[in-house]
Amino acid sequence: MNRPALPDTDTVRAAMDTVLADAAARGRRPTLTAVERHLGLAHATFYRHYSDLITGYFQPRIPRPAAAADDGPADADETATQTVRRLRQENTELRRTVEVYAEMIRQLATENDALRQPSAVVRSLPARGNV
């Protein structure tokens, strides 16, 4: 069985650079799958032979998402504080809504009960000739 020769380190780095540049140009996140496809290698083979390039060369060059790049410990605390404040306000509004609905249901139940009482039944009027 004759296996094809694996690409050398420079070829793999060039493929990684190509994928990184292409992803940046398209506004997408670069992936190992794209590098593997570019080189025509299976994932297991690529990872087995080039794991040092993956962790030392490719992954550090992947740009972090914009939201994560700006977040620091102070920003995370502020975001958490704002989230708690927003959730408490939503909780208060939902409790008020439930109270309004509960009152409406109580009124409807009271009206329904009153309409079911025999005294609330409207009796037919006598005929005109019987006055």
Side-chain angles (χ1 to χ4, degrees):
M1 182 155 132
N2 193 7
R3 294 183 185 172
L6 294 173
D8 63 354
T9 304
D10 292 333
T11 305
V12 174
R13 280 190 182 152
M16 289 177 173
D17 289 338
T18 301
V19 168
L20 288 165
D22 186 46
R26 295 175 187 253
R28 296 188 174 175
R29 187 168 170 81
T31 63
L32 280 177
T33 305
V35 177
E36 293 162 358
R37 233 181 272 131
H38 187 77
L39 294 170
L41 294 174
H43 177 72
T45 302
F46 183 73
Y47 195 82
R48 184 180 322 116
H49 294 283
Y50 304 105
S51 61
D52 56 329
L53 285 176
I54 294 169
T55 57
Y57 186 78
F58 185 72
Q59 289 176 342
R61 287 173 172 71
I62 296 174
R64 294 186 341 164
D70 296 337
D71 285 347
D75 291 340
D77 290 343
E78 183 63 27
T79 303
T81 303
Q82 290 174 351
T83 302
V84 168
R85 186 178 305 127
R86 180 183 54 82
L87 290 173
R88 284 185 177 153
Q89 182 178 358
E90 287 178 12
N91 193 8
T92 301
E93 291 171 5
L94 289 172
R95 286 181 189 272
R96 287 180 187 151
T97 303
V98 168
E99 288 174 6
V100 169
Y101 287 152
E103 179 60 24
M104 292 174 83
I105 290 170
R106 188 192 63 74
Q107 288 176 0
L108 288 171
T110 302
E111 290 175 11
N112 186 27
D113 189 47
L115 289 172
R116 290 181 183 265
Q117 297 299 320
S119 62
V121 176
V122 177
R123 300 178 196 257
S124 59
L125 296 173
R128 285 186 169 203
N130 296 342
V131 183

